[in-house]
Amino acid sequence: MSTAAILSVVVAVLVVAAAVVALTVVRGGTGLGGVRLKHRFGPEYERALAHHDGDEKATRHELSQRVKRYGRLEIRPLAAEDAERFEARWAALKAQFVDSPTEAVAEADRLIGRLAERRGFPGQESPEHNDALSVHHPHQLHGYRQAHALTGETGASGPRATEELRQALVAAREMFEALLGGAPAPTARPAPQEIPAAASRPDPAVTEKTTADTPAVATAAAGTDDEAKPGATAGGKLRRSPLGHRLAALTGSAARGDGTGSAH
């Protein structure tokens, strides 16, 4: 077989392989494509699979379309002040849960919806709301769905219902935190500095009385300070330090040995 014939066969094989790959992608794909979708969507993949009665091909097609439609959705930044207000509101509804668990979960559902819309997702009333969230936060969507479903139930009461609401609130918190993710931390406000006791301004009357009562102490302190400074004078006379006195004594002894010193 000539070289040209061999090249023709190789080109034909490559063309057929490329066509098979393209057809597989168009039809939703099997194997690696499905594995990637399962890994990306997690529990949302199982939910979509149940919705399509176990039809994996239809499930992959739906989720692939979601990625295509919302994968490049522009997520708007959240200002630090807005993040702080959302956090404060969540803290308030957790306290509200003690007295009104159903209302607290309903408020959590609405709060997450407003936060998602602020970040650039379709509004909570839109049918695209959960689909868009599933592309960017698929692993947190289940708890959010659970909280939303419980807000529509009425007449439920008792410890079991309260525990379900509590679990739903905890699970919904994951979506809340995911939507807050990437927001800058609120600027820390410096705490007011307290004046140390030692730096307090003394009472003039107390200071004057203390000085008048202890003149000797003040004089002694002044003398000590003067002695610490070479060349300091008191009353016009040179005040010597202890070292100076010793040097003078030694010098005087030497002078007396020469007959020039004065006798004591």
Side-chain angles (χ1 to χ4, degrees):
M1 182 179 291
S2 65
T3 303
I6 294 175
L7 289 176
S8 299
V9 172
V10 171
V11 170
V13 170
L14 292 176
V15 170
V16 171
V20 170
V21 171
L23 183 61
T24 301
V25 172
V26 171
R27 291 183 176 182
T30 58
L32 186 58
V35 171
R36 286 179 176 175
L37 288 173
K38 286 182 180 180
H39 179 73
R40 174 168 186 166
F41 282 92
E44 189 65 15
Y45 184 94
E46 301 301 327
R47 183 181 183 279
L49 184 64
H51 177 73
H52 289 287
D53 297 325
D55 189 339
E56 293 192 2
K57 179 180 177 180
T59 299
R60 289 193 294 268
H61 177 73
E62 178 189 342
L63 297 181
S64 297
Q65 289 301 311
R66 290 190 198 179
V67 174
K68 183 179 179 179
R69 187 177 300 115
Y70 307 111
R72 296 185 179 181
L73 182 69
E74 182 179 357
I75 307 301
R76 293 195 292 263
L78 189 67
E81 295 80 6
D82 291 336
E84 191 173 7
R85 282 194 292 268
F86 276 106
E87 282 281 15
R89 188 67 196 100
W90 188 274
L93 67 87
K94 285 197 300 182
Q96 179 187 0
F97 183 87
V98 177
D99 298 322
S100 304
T102 303
E103 289 76 4
V105 173
E107 175 60 23
D109 176 63
R110 290 189 292 268
L111 186 65
I112 293 174
R114 290 195 296 270
L115 176 57
E117 190 170 1
R118 181 69 63 87
R119 296 305 304 269
F121 290 92
Q124 195 172 28
E125 70 285 350
S126 170
E128 297 180 315
H129 179 70
N130 286 336
D131 286 352
L133 285 173
S134 72
V135 173
H136 295 270
H137 305 293
H139 296 275
Q140 293 81 21
L141 185 57
H142 176 71
Y144 178 40
R145 287 185 187 274
Q146 182 182 4
H148 184 75
L150 288 177
T151 60
E153 296 182 1
T154 58
S157 60
R160 180 177 179 181
T162 302
E163 178 60 20
E164 289 179 353
L165 290 168
R166 187 193 68 80
Q167 292 179 3
L169 186 63
V170 172
R173 171 75 186 184
E174 296 181 4
M175 176 61 78
F176 181 77
E177 291 179 345
L179 289 170
L180 278 180
T187 304
R189 297 183 177 90
Q193 297 181 354
E194 296 182 358
I195 300 176
S200 301
R201 182 175 297 177
D203 189 343
V206 175
T207 303
E208 182 178 358
K209 184 177 184 303
T210 303
T211 304
D213 292 343
T214 58
V217 176
T219 304
T224 303
D225 187 54
D226 287 340
E227 290 180 359
K229 298 177 181 178
T233 61
K237 296 180 179 181
L238 179 65
R239 184 182 296 276
R240 294 175 178 174
S241 66
L243 180 60
H245 282 296
R246 293 179 182 178
L247 290 174
L250 292 174
T251 305
S253 300
R256 286 193 299 272
D258 295 336
T260 60
S262 58
H264 290 280

